[in-house]
Amino acid sequence: MSGPEARARVLRGALDCVTRQGFAGTTVTDVARAAGVSRASVYRWFPGGRDEIFAATVAAEVARFYGAMAAAVADAPDLATTVERALGFAHRELRANAALQALLATEPEPLLRFLDHEYAATLGWVTDHLRSVLAAEAAAGRVRPGVDLDQAAGFVATVGISVMATPGRCDLADPAAVATFVRQELLAGILVGPGA
Amino acid sequence: MTAVLRAPTGSAADPAAADPAAADPAAADPAAADPAAADPAAAIRPDAALAEATLAEIARVGLARLSVDAVARAAGVSRATLYRRCPGKPALVGAALDHEVARAVAAVAVAVADARALDDAVAAMFLTGARTLATSVALGGIVAADPGALAPYLDFAGGDALLARLTDGLAPLLAPWAADPRRAAEWVARIGIDLCRTPTPLIDPTDPGAVRRFVATFVTPGIAPRGSAAPKEEGP
């Protein structure tokens, strides 16, 4: 087994353990057993032990989530559709994510801390993706004059991520409600034309 | 988020008195007809003495070392009383944050009293929020020492609760301008929280010109003005 492969196995094992037992109920021995490796190999990859394993597990899950989101929006024809699909994807994925739901119910505090560590990185990925979509909208003459594309990408990324975790009154299960939010609020100042 | 959580010292004016919606008969929409929504602070006022003792204790020792017993002693209540009102440390911290939201809403109510247009009002909300961040010893300390400690109050269930409280506070203040004040308030509240939270600041929130441009570009185009047809959306 190659090094990266062993590391990935440890992370999968850790994800299984924390989904079933939570962070507090998971030991390095549990992770090693679930991954089918020795405790020594776990420590070789994660000398910091449990906290380092958990942080890396959450980081890997976050990366997987945004990778799948990028695939889900890859063929969206425009900015509004990109954001709508991303929000719908996030809603379905987060609701179906067993580890997330179990930990939110039992140990939200450590989970949200680990997620918070990933926030700057995820904001960067989302902003970069949106910047390229916005550039295409600008090239097609659909961005309002005076809108700074970098600032607009950062704005849509920041607010979009916040809606995923904290939807407020926006019912993300309802595509019509998502479209109303995206076209009449989120992008209203950025795109030309009524209803974006 | 922390920028919107504390009023500057000495601005504890009665928010209802400074609330332009309070004297406006047209503000009698469903949101403003709710007695709690008519007085933004009343909707979100927790036990003030406990909240202030909690904030003082956070300022002294930090969030991680906050002791429920020390708060009970400082507030002059028994441990049992404190637990009855706020069962556990997360509830205590949540109540303290609610208290800061109420103070921020009171300060914002004063700041928007002179606004002559929606852009002015929303810019004043953001500027007041940013100014007040610098004056909150407790929250400033948490953010400096360990910003991740606030995550449970900002994301998922905690974030929805904070957003709802801030929305309740801001809705009456937007009633003079917005076709759907609650919807507008949630939009403004969300952006205010996000602006204070993002690690890559979109604007300098203390620069009035930058805030006004930001508001006019990204925020108020998402608010249907009063007198226009409110965009179709299900009620609260």
Side-chain angles (χ1 to χ4, degrees):
Chain A
M1 186 169 19
S2 75
E5 195 187 324
R7 187 179 187 277
R9 273 177 78 144
V10 170
L11 294 181
R12 276 198 303 276
L15 183 65
D16 288 344
C17 288
V18 299
T19 305
R20 282 195 310 267
Q21 302 154 222
F23 293 119
T26 295
T27 65
V28 171
T29 305
D30 295 335
V31 172
R33 194 177 300 132
V37 301
S38 68
R39 286 184 84 231
S41 350
V42 174
Y43 277 111
R44 198 173 313 130
W45 284 104
F46 302 99
R50 292 168 69 243
D51 267 2
E52 191 179 343
I53 296 168
F54 296 154
T57 303
V58 172
E61 277 294 282
V62 169
R64 192 187 58 73
F65 171 82
Y66 282 102
M69 177 183 283
V73 304
D75 61 348
D78 54 31
L79 177 63
T81 312
T82 299
V83 178
E84 285 166 11
R85 280 196 199 166
L87 291 178
F89 168 87
H91 174 71
R92 289 188 302 276
E93 183 74 9
L94 297 181
R95 203 176 42 176
N97 189 309
L100 176 75
Q101 295 303 331
L103 292 168
L104 277 179
T106 55
E107 292 175 277
E109 204 148 331
L111 171 67
L112 295 174
R113 267 176 182 281
F114 289 129
L115 285 174
D116 197 60
H117 289 161
E118 304 307 312
Y119 180 53
T122 59
L123 184 63
W125 300 336
V126 176
T127 303
D128 286 347
H129 186 89
L130 289 171
R131 195 180 286 116
S132 68
V133 180
L134 266 160
E137 294 281 9
R142 290 196 295 261
V143 173
R144 290 190 185 214
V147 171
D148 178 299
L149 294 186
D150 285 336
Q151 198 182 29
F155 174 77
V156 177
T158 302
V159 179
I161 290 172
S162 119
V163 172
M164 288 177 204
T166 308
R169 292 200 306 155
C170 184
D171 179 3
L172 296 181
D174 176 0
V178 172
T180 300
F181 170 75
V182 168
R183 291 166 194 261
Q184 295 180 2
E185 286 182 280
L186 186 58
L187 303 180
I190 296 170
L191 296 180
V192 172
Chain B
M1 54 83 56
T2 42
V4 291
L5 287 179
R6 184 174 174 125
T9 315
S11 71
D14 176 11
D19 174 1
D24 183 347
D29 60 44
D34 172 5
D39 173 359
I44 49 183
R45 189 179 292 133
D47 186 305
L50 266 188
E52 276 162 18
T54 304
L55 291 166
E57 195 59 18
I58 291 172
R60 203 169 67 81
V61 302
L63 188 56
R65 288 171 52 222
L66 176 71
S67 139
V68 174
D69 288 342
V71 172
R73 274 197 302 280
V77 301
S78 72
R79 211 162 179 272
T81 302
L82 186 148
Y83 269 96
R84 199 166 54 244
R85 292 193 212 164
C86 289
K89 183 167 153 177
L92 196 60
V93 175
L97 292 177
D98 290 351
H99 183 69
E100 294 293 66
V101 170
R103 291 162 63 106
V105 169
V108 165
V110 173
V112 302
D114 296 332
R116 293 216 293 265
L118 178 61
D119 280 358
D120 295 338
V122 176
M125 287 174 177
F126 289 150
L127 285 164
T128 305
R131 241 192 333 270
T132 55
L133 171 63
T135 70
S136 178
V137 177
L139 294 173
I142 296 171
V143 172
D146 181 11
L150 283 175
Y153 305 97
L154 298 176
D155 288 321
F156 295 97
D160 269 326
L162 173 68
L163 183 63
R165 287 194 161 80
L166 198 47
T167 299
D168 286 345
L170 296 182
L173 306 179
L174 288 164
W177 294 287
D180 181 344
R182 281 200 61 80
R183 177 185 161 143
E186 185 176 297
W187 173 236
V188 171
R190 173 186 300 288
I191 294 169
I193 294 168
D194 293 346
L195 278 184
C196 300
R197 208 177 168 200
T198 175
T200 44
L202 294 167
I203 46 164
D204 173 0
T206 63
D207 174 348
V211 170
R212 282 195 63 97
R213 281 192 300 280
F214 176 83
V215 163
T217 304
F218 295 109
V219 186
T220 50
I223 299 175
R226 214 177 85 190
S228 71
K232 185 177 154 291
E233 196 194 39
E234 50 278 272

